[in-house]
Amino acid sequence: MTSSYGNKVRIKISGESHGDCIEALLSGIPAGREIDTDLINIQLKRRSPGQDATATPRKEADEPKIISGIKDGITTGEDIHIVIENTNTHSSDYDELKFTPRPSHADYPAFVKYKGEADMRGSGHFSGRLTAPLTAAGAICKQILKQKGITIGGHVYNIGEVFDVAFDGVTVSEKQLDDLSCKYFATVSEEAKKEMTDYILDASRDGDSVGGSVEIAAIGMPTGIGNHMFGGIENIISTLVYGVPAVKGVSFGAGFDFAYLRGSEANDPYYFDGDAVKTATNNCGGIVGGMTTGMPIIVRAALKPTPSIFKEQNTVNLQTGENVLLKIKGRHDPCIVPRALPAVEAAVAVALVMLLAEDNQL
């Protein structure tokens, strides 16, 4: 089973949560670009489980093996093939779930689509585990973008009712993004992180989970990248970001708040800053008509609460045709948002590389 997307630059993700390995294939990357594997490891470490009480205790080494496409730290022009082994699986935890689908998981539609034959241990190909190769591919794309003066970073914007400080859509800086992009559970405010942690642990003690959102910024993108209607910046970024399984909403700039504004409040006035054209505000999140304006691209992604909770839930037995109660076992995140952050950053990075390639600016 493989998930793939892209034209001139293409990404393919394959494998299953409890299979031998999971993989990414990144095609269309030009030869001669420097890639530091240590920077790939930093991003994978941010995504890895088992780092604190807000995440699943499952531990994975997540050491990427570069099979092809990079030699002596330089891209060769060949497809970049990344393999990550699965080394810590408890497949027996999922034996009882074959015919009793978990609420809000892919279990039931996958059972129907694949006639009950898909490997659903650990959610199989539908697992958040598949964001590991996505994160690795994104770490490569981040480095390629950085070499072109483009920087991507993000933070946990909210967990439930607890909010961090939002990015300033006009002045967000390279240093701020670089600082955030090497942290696990990155927040602008350390106090907000403490409150978020308490909020997650409260839910965990109750056998429950919580959702939240992340905010990503990309600065340094040239003006005029992207296309109107179906090939726009929002379209491509959203497609890649929705590849992170828990994501249920994506917005740009003011997003849904536009619905409550007048044009005089929403518009971003232009002005000259020397020879550069900038906007005094950035409600549009650096994108107008599907094209970049040269201002920071601001993206938010909402992530649902982890569906695997330890409270008893109603479901069905597909074998007996009965309504039944389900109590889930195993190791699960009480909140996926902190670990999803580097995966969403990665998705944005892959999308921007794709968009630059389409405009022959990669």
Side-chain angles (χ1 to χ4, degrees):
M1 193 181 296
T2 299
S3 297
S4 63
Y5 184 74
N7 295 308
K8 289 185 177 180
V9 170
R10 190 169 189 84
I11 187 170
K12 295 182 180 180
I13 303 290
S14 60
E16 296 151 330
S17 178
H18 287 198
D20 290 339
C21 64
I22 46 181
E23 305 177 53
L25 195 70
L26 192 59
S27 306
I29 300 299
R33 306 301 171 89
E34 294 185 13
I35 301 297
D36 185 342
T37 55
D38 287 342
L39 297 180
I40 301 174
N41 291 328
I42 287 172
Q43 295 307 311
L44 283 170
K45 180 66 175 176
R46 295 177 68 207
R47 196 218 68 91
S48 292
Q51 298 192 54
D52 65 16
T54 67
T56 171
R58 174 179 178 175
K59 289 185 180 293
E60 290 281 359
D62 282 355
E63 295 177 357
K65 295 180 180 179
I66 309 296
I67 305 300
S68 65
I70 299 174
K71 184 178 183 295
D72 299 327
I74 306 292
T75 58
T76 65
E78 178 58 84
D79 292 350
I80 299 174
H81 186 186
I82 307 162
V83 173
I84 300 173
E85 293 182 354
N86 293 323
T87 59
N88 185 2
T89 59
H90 290 180
S91 298
S92 61
D93 290 340
Y94 297 86
D95 289 346
E96 298 177 6
L97 299 177
K98 181 174 177 63
F99 299 109
T100 52
R102 295 165 293 176
S104 293
H105 267 283
D107 298 356
Y108 175 63
F111 182 90
V112 174
K113 183 177 181 68
Y114 297 102
K115 299 177 174 57
E117 298 302 328
D119 183 354
M120 296 303 294
R121 297 171 301 167
S123 296
H125 186 71
F126 310 97
S127 170
R129 177 83 184 124
L130 274 294
T131 60
L134 171 62
T135 299
I140 291 170
C141 289
K142 271 189 174 185
Q143 294 183 58
I144 292 169
L145 292 169
K146 192 74 167 177
Q147 292 161 20
K148 297 184 69 64
I150 300 163
T151 301
I152 294 175
H155 66 118
V156 177
Y157 179 61
N158 79 288
I159 300 291
E161 299 172 355
V162 182
F163 284 80
D164 193 17
V165 179
F167 283 142
D168 185 310
V170 174
T171 64
V172 59
S173 69
E174 180 179 6
K175 182 181 185 306
Q176 183 181 25
L177 298 181
D178 283 340
D179 288 346
L180 290 168
S181 194
C182 62
K183 294 179 180 178
Y184 170 73
F185 204 151
T187 56
V188 175
S189 163
E190 284 299 313
E191 183 58 34
K193 179 178 177 179
K194 293 176 184 176
E195 292 180 20
M196 289 175 182
T197 299
D198 289 341
Y199 195 92
I200 294 169
L201 295 180
D202 282 346
S204 181
R205 284 189 287 268
D206 197 32
D208 217 333
S209 64
V210 292
S213 68
V214 298
E215 184 177 49
I216 313 298
I219 61 174
M221 276 290 285
T223 303
I225 301 297
N227 292 289
H228 64 291
M229 293 191 74
F230 306 125
I233 298 285
E234 295 107 328
N235 308 57
I236 306 304
I237 289 178
S238 295
T239 297
L240 270 294
V241 169
Y242 276 120
V244 178
V247 170
K248 298 299 285 186
V250 179
S251 67
F252 297 85
F256 284 90
D257 288 343
F258 274 121
Y260 309 105
L261 300 176
R262 292 189 174 192
S264 56
E265 299 170 309
N267 290 347
D268 296 320
Y270 289 109
Y271 73 97
F272 273 111
D273 181 9
D275 292 332
V277 174
K278 296 185 178 180
T279 59
T281 55
N282 192 18
N283 290 319
C284 288
I287 306 164
V288 176
M291 299 170 287
T292 52
T293 66
M295 296 298 288
I297 295 174
I298 306 294
V299 187
R300 288 183 187 165
L303 296 105
K304 67 181 181 180
T306 315
S308 288
I309 60 175
F310 297 107
K311 288 178 173 290
E312 202 168 55
Q313 301 177 81
N314 292 312
T315 187
V316 295
N317 187 309
L318 298 171
Q319 200 171 31
T320 66
E322 298 174 303
N323 295 320
V324 296
L325 291 173
L326 175 67
K327 193 167 180 62
I328 293 173
K329 303 175 184 177
R331 302 166 295 175
H332 307 286
D333 295 86
C335 180
I336 200 64
V337 179
R339 292 180 53 219
L341 172 60
V344 177
E345 288 179 27
V348 173
V350 174
L352 294 185
V353 164
M354 288 179 175
L355 285 155
L356 287 170
E358 292 299 317
D359 271 29
N360 299 313
Q361 295 198 39
L362 187 58

